Amino acid sequence: MADLEGNSAAKRFHPDTPAARFEHQIRGAGNLDWGMQNRLARILDPGTGRTVMLAFDHGYFQGPTSGLERIDLNIAPLAPYADALMCTRGALRTSIPPATRAGLVLRASGGPSILKELSDEFTAMTMADAVRINADAVAVQVFVGGEHETRSIRNLTTLVDEGYSAGIPVLGVTAVGKELTRDARYLGLATRIIAELGAQLVKTYYCEEGFEDVVAGCPVPVIMAGGKKLPELDALTMASYAVRAGAAGVDMGRNIFQSSHPAAMMTAVRGVVHDDLDPADAYELFRDATETKALA
């Protein structure tokens, strides 16, 4: 028991100072529990409300794709540049140091590796294991308009319910098959459905026309998916357009780990997302970093 002797008689209640109100920039998070808000703040910078997420969960259906042959060598060194990592629990446990400070988003759905049947997914991990790993969110694919839409929505809502019990947010990923168009009408529908069903974050693709409407119509943060590998300047330009349209950052995989200089690309993407750098200026950052490395 604490010793009561020697306590100061003066107490500082500051009756003229209103109680603190904690403000943040994370959209739609104001009414969530403290633990869930805390985890969201480890994924999205609470000052900017944005994130640079590094995705390397591709192996769960593609195997050792280019750039992911050795996660311990190719991805783990990039973790300090990322606000958050998006991966599978297997990759995390085997290849990422536990001392990593980046936020953790774990892929929680899985299914066939056959491309045409990717929508045939079930939940692939329990929320109890996410708690055990100390995850900041779990991610699940939602195939709006796909053959297995109902099942993927069930996967989402099951994880949302379990996430509320554990204080862990859910990231709903709008999955787009070849038969679905990546336009504002579809992406707006898919992101809104995911948010309406309880996801605290949504990841979706960028579309050149109407992306600002997609973001405005979604009451939770929308994170842009990087998609296929693009030339560095094109990827930086897409990221810039997305955040200027209201996106809460980017989740890039191939545009990072398949770049000729992944760490330099991460630095450039951070400049676009957190500092609102013009894509051309961010590309100069990339080039300067690559030249410096070449001279070292």
Side-chain angles (χ1 to χ4, degrees), residues 265-290:
M265 187 59 178
M266 286 285 287
T267 299
V269 172
R270 290 192 65 84
V272 166
V273 171
H274 290 301
D275 301 322
D276 290 315
L277 279 186
D278 183 86
D281 294 334
Y283 184 62
E284 285 303 311
L285 272 183
F286 170 76
R287 294 185 60 184
D288 290 346
T290 56

Side-chain angles (χ1 to χ4, degrees), residues 148-216:
H148 300 286
E149 176 180 2
T150 299
R151 182 189 300 160
S152 68
I153 286 178
R154 180 62 182 270
N155 294 340
L156 169 69
T157 55
T158 297
L159 288 169
V160 167
D161 287 339
E162 294 176 355
Y164 275 123
S165 296
I168 294 182
V170 174
L171 169 66
V173 182
T174 62
V176 179
K178 292 182 178 179
E179 70 280 3
L180 300 173
T181 304
R182 299 184 187 185
D183 58 15
R185 183 174 179 273
Y186 171 76
L187 297 177
L189 170 67
T191 55
R192 183 58 176 263
I193 287 174
I194 291 171
E196 293 268 356
L197 292 173
Q200 290 79 28
L201 299 164
V202 176
K203 172 182 165 183
T204 196
Y205 292 97
Y206 177 75
C207 58
E208 293 186 358
E209 296 184 9
F211 188 71
E212 64 276 8
D213 293 335
V214 174
V215 175

Side-chain angles (χ1 to χ4, degrees), residues 38 40 43 116 126 138 151 162 167 249 258 261 268 293 296:
N38 180 258
L40 286 171
I43 298 170
K116 66 180 181 179
T126 65
V138 297
R151 182 189 300 160
E162 294 176 355
Q258 289 182 356
H261 294 86
K293 185 175 180 179

Side-chain angles (χ1 to χ4, degrees), residues 203-269:
K203 172 182 165 183
T204 196
Y205 292 97
Y206 177 75
C207 58
E208 293 186 358
E209 296 184 9
F211 188 71
E212 64 276 8
D213 293 335
V214 174
V215 175
C218 185
V220 300
V222 173
I223 300 169
M224 186 205 77
K228 66 181 181 180
K229 176 67 175 74
L230 300 171
E232 279 77 6
L233 180 56
D234 291 348
L236 292 168
T237 300
M238 180 174 67
S240 177
Y241 286 164
V243 296
R244 292 179 185 183
V250 300
D251 182 22
M252 286 189 168
R254 286 169 289 180
N255 281 298
I256 299 294
F257 60 73
Q258 289 182 356
S259 171
S260 58
H261 294 86
M265 187 59 178
M266 286 285 287
T267 299
V269 172

Side-chain angles (χ1 to χ4, degrees), residues 57-82:
D57 56 329
H58 308 65
Y60 91 96
F61 71 96
Q62 290 182 334
T65 189
S66 177
L68 297 182
E69 299 90 348
R70 287 287 301 272
I71 292 174
D72 59 330
L73 299 180
N74 299 336
I75 299 299
L78 300 176
Y81 299 91

